[in-house]
Amino acid sequence: MPTNDITRLAELLRGLKEAQGPATVLTGAGISTESGIPDFRSPGTGLYTRIDPMEYISTRALETHPEKLWKFFAESYAAAGDYQPNAGHFAIARLEETGYVETVVTQNIDGLHERAGSRNVLEVHGHLRTAHCVACGLAVPFASATEQVLEGADVPTCAECGSSLRPDVVLFGDDMPQDFLTARDVVRANPLLLVVGSSLEVAPVNMLPPEAERLAIINRSPTPADRHAEVVVRADAGESLSALAGELGVE
Ligand code: NAD
Ligand code: ZN
């Protein structure tokens, strides 16, 4: 990891905090790979090397073959409650606590930012805490929905009305939630957007970096927005963010 890039990023955050205010952080699946949750696009280990997302995590899947969607969610995320935040999530929580960061916008559904202590989190692709009934809206814990699938149900059903449940995540084909519109306003208002662990290939989240006044990126692999960033750290999120917190004296 080029230490000078982290030093530059720390200087940038320090200067902005004093002059203009805190930054926004935008995270993707890459911040959680060190917690043992595979991302979608890493070569070899990304989930997309195994599945076609439109076949499993889309509104079309929900309408035409919900059993495939639920098989995917039960197999991939039934243990979601056991995931633990890693050094990267904790460092971001410390940056928020100490005023360097105001808001965390996350594409992740794993809930690890909150579990690490971040308070101001916008979950623009939903979360794995609950599922709900497509007919009456009853909310149930996500784990109780996956439990039905693991016990043999093709599709988990509502205890009140018997209709199908769906996860509270944004599927391909869904409208974006209010959190996304709020995120766009926050990114426009704050002086810097720090992207961590995102390929920036998913729309419409990849439209957020162009809205930012200034941009910095921490990601293992190149992204389409790298050429617009003033600092690009091409390294792992955990060690990079720990080093950043260290440089700022807030680790
Ligand atoms: P992505 O899979 O498209 O890209 C992840 C990026 O992170 C890649 O560019 C990869 O090189 C990089 N990366 C992987 N491990 C890293 C590490 N330890 N440190 C630094 N960089 C690392 O992820 P995305 O951009 O978030 O988009 C995928 C979509 O999938 C999102 O919509 C998200 O909702 C969803 N998703 C979420 C989770 C989760 O909640 N943990 C997991 C998989 C997918
Ligand atoms: Zn119902």
Side-chain angles (χ1 to χ4, degrees), residues 133 135-138 158 160-163:
C133 172
C136 76
L138 181 79
C158 173
E160 292 290 324
C161 77
S163 299

Side-chain angles (χ1 to χ4, degrees), residues 27-43 45-48 57 72 77 83 86 89 106-112 124-128 169-170 172 195-203 205 218-223 233-240:
T27 63
I31 195 168
S32 294
T33 56
E34 293 168 63
S35 293
I37 309 171
D39 65 9
F40 279 172
R41 290 178 183 75
S42 280
T45 54
L47 284 177
Y48 282 6
I57 43 179
F72 169 78
Y77 298 117
Y83 301 146
N86 65 55
H89 298 103
T106 188
Q107 300 173 76
N108 295 342
I109 54 177
D110 55 36
L112 292 184
V124 298
H125 287 166
H127 56 79
L128 293 173
V169 303
V170 177
F172 289 100
V195 179
V196 183
S198 177
S199 65
L200 293 178
E201 279 171 21
V202 182
V205 167
I218 299 175
N219 204 56
R220 241 185 220 164
S221 56
T223 85
V233 180
R234 203 156 291 160
D236 284 355
E239 62 170 335
S240 304

Side-chain angles (χ1 to χ4, degrees), residues 26-235:
L26 168 64
T27 63
I31 195 168
S32 294
T33 56
E34 293 168 63
S35 293
I37 309 171
D39 65 9
F40 279 172
R41 290 178 183 75
S42 280
T45 54
L47 284 177
Y48 282 6
T49 55
R50 292 196 280 119
I51 67 150
D52 169 5
M54 295 312 280
E55 190 67 13
Y56 290 86
I57 43 179
S58 63
T59 50
R60 190 171 59 81
L62 191 67
E63 280 153 24
T64 62
H65 45 266
E67 68 287 349
K68 264 189 160 178
L69 177 143
W70 273 109
K71 186 169 185 291
F72 169 78
F73 275 97
E75 282 177 359
S76 306
Y77 298 117
D82 299 336
Y83 301 146
Q84 296 303 327
N86 65 55
H89 298 103
F90 287 118
I92 289 175
R94 285 290 292 149
L95 293 177
E96 181 184 337
E97 211 180 321
T98 51
Y100 289 100
V101 166
E102 184 191 69
T103 305
V104 181
V105 178
T106 188
Q107 300 173 76
N108 295 342
I109 54 177
D110 55 36
L112 292 184
H113 285 298
E114 289 91 341
R115 301 253 309 276
S118 287
R119 286 163 189 274
N120 212 1
V121 182
L122 295 171
E123 295 174 313
V124 298
H125 287 166
H127 56 79
L128 293 173
R129 289 183 292 279
T130 52
H132 73 269
C133 172
V134 296
C136 76
L138 181 79
V140 301
F142 177 79
S144 74
T146 53
E147 212 173 281
Q148 288 189 41
V149 178
L150 296 175
E151 284 170 359
D154 280 343
V155 177
T157 50
C158 173
E160 292 290 324
C161 77
S163 299
S164 307
L165 300 177
R166 63 154 288 170
D168 282 324
V169 303
V170 177
L171 304 171
F172 289 100
D174 272 330
D175 289 339
M176 290 300 278
Q178 176 59 40
D179 265 10
F180 179 72
L181 301 176
T182 308
R184 199 177 51 193
D185 291 342
V186 167
V187 168
R188 284 177 180 159
N190 286 358
L192 176 81
L193 179 65
L194 169 60
V195 179
V196 183
S198 177
S199 65
L200 293 178
E201 279 171 21
V202 182
V205 167
N206 62 0
M207 293 168 193
L208 293 177
E211 299 282 346
E213 200 179 321
R214 301 172 79 167
L215 184 64
I217 296 178
I218 299 175
N219 204 56
R220 241 185 220 164
S221 56
T223 85
D226 287 1
R227 63 200 168 91
H228 302 295
E230 30 195 301
V231 183
V232 177
V233 180
R234 203 156 291 160

Side-chain angles (χ1 to χ4, degrees), residues 7-28:
T7 307
R8 274 179 57 212
L9 185 53
E11 280 164 6
L12 193 55
L13 283 173
R14 196 181 282 121
L16 288 175
K17 181 187 170 189
E18 280 157 21
Q20 281 176 277
T24 308
V25 171
L26 168 64
T27 63

